[in-house]
Amino acid sequence: MEIFYVLPDYCSQYPKPCMGGWGNRQLTVTPNGDVLPCPAAGALPLPRASVHEDSLARIWADSPVFRR
């Protein structure tokens, strides 16, 4: 038996290619309206973007969390 442990993206300098890079192909909108580049990114100290404050198009193209 082999056990593989994959470090989470936030422990690496760059996102893993399996995600295509955070926020490159998908995004997550949480129930409270936060927009995240990955479903697991909510626990990280990232800049916040919210659909209550901006459009998805503008968040995708211009928000600090997606430009990061």
Side-chain angles (χ1 to χ4, degrees), residues 8-57:
D9 284 346
Y10 58 82
C11 290
S12 304
Q13 185 175 2
Y14 300 104
K16 291 176 192 50
C18 64
M19 292 294 291
W22 276 14
N24 192 34
R25 290 190 211 165
Q26 68 181 27
L27 56 80
T28 300
V29 179
T30 64
N32 71 354
D34 285 347
V35 182
L36 305 170
C38 170
L44 301 175
L46 296 171
R48 294 290 178 205
S50 174
V51 293
H52 299 294
E53 299 168 7
D54 233 330
S55 70
L56 278 178

